[in-house]
Amino acid sequence: MEERRYRRDDAEYEEGYEEGGDDRGRGRFIRRPRVCQFCIDKTVRPEYKNVEVLKRLVTERGKIRPRRQTGVCARHQRALAVAIKRARHMALLDFGSARERVR
């Protein structure tokens, strides 16, 4: 007998796999589609003056969060990096963490 191979868009495959059709009993993780927040909302732009927006896209230690975490498209991620760097030079954002270093 020939073994049937399932494609991702096969309805039977999707139903069985989501319901725990896997031998180990795990269901399938369904990731929601990521959409760039700057592409959706045309009024919000990655500018150095939007400090509230930039703070959400920077870690506590002051690092710029990557695209895979924020869901921003490549074009806006590049503009975002420039805006964060400008905001740092204008002293609107911190370069590093705000915690004190004790020696």
Side-chain angles (χ1 to χ4, degrees):
M1 256 187 351
E2 187 176 314
E3 184 178 324
R4 181 175 176 186
R5 296 196 176 251
Y6 290 103
R7 296 185 321 203
R8 291 226 178 235
D9 56 346
D10 194 349
E12 293 175 15
Y13 173 80
E14 293 294 326
E15 289 174 3
Y17 203 67
E18 286 178 7
E19 294 174 2
D22 191 9
D23 292 339
R24 296 182 203 127
R26 294 183 302 200
R28 181 174 160 202
F29 176 74
I30 299 173
R31 179 180 292 168
R32 66 173 200 242
R34 290 189 179 158
V35 183
C36 177
Q37 64 184 7
F38 298 111
C39 290
I40 291 175
D41 190 7
K42 301 288 185 184
T43 60
V44 178
R45 297 177 59 202
E47 294 180 345
Y48 71 93
K49 296 177 266 187
N50 295 337
V51 180
E52 294 82 23
V53 174
L54 297 179
K55 280 184 181 179
R56 287 185 291 144
L57 302 170
V58 176
T59 63
E60 293 175 358
R61 306 210 25 138
K63 294 182 178 182
I64 300 172
R65 294 176 67 197
R67 284 181 55 207
R68 65 181 175 271
Q69 289 181 359
T70 59
V72 180
C73 68
R75 179 191 312 165
H76 287 115
Q77 179 71 20
R78 287 190 293 270
L80 185 69
V82 172
I84 290 171
K85 291 172 186 176
R86 285 183 182 165
R88 285 175 179 164
H89 283 286
M90 300 284 284
L92 300 174
L93 284 178
D94 292 334
F95 275 94
S97 64
R99 82 176 177 196
E100 296 180 25
R101 294 186 179 140
V102 180
R103 286 194 163 181

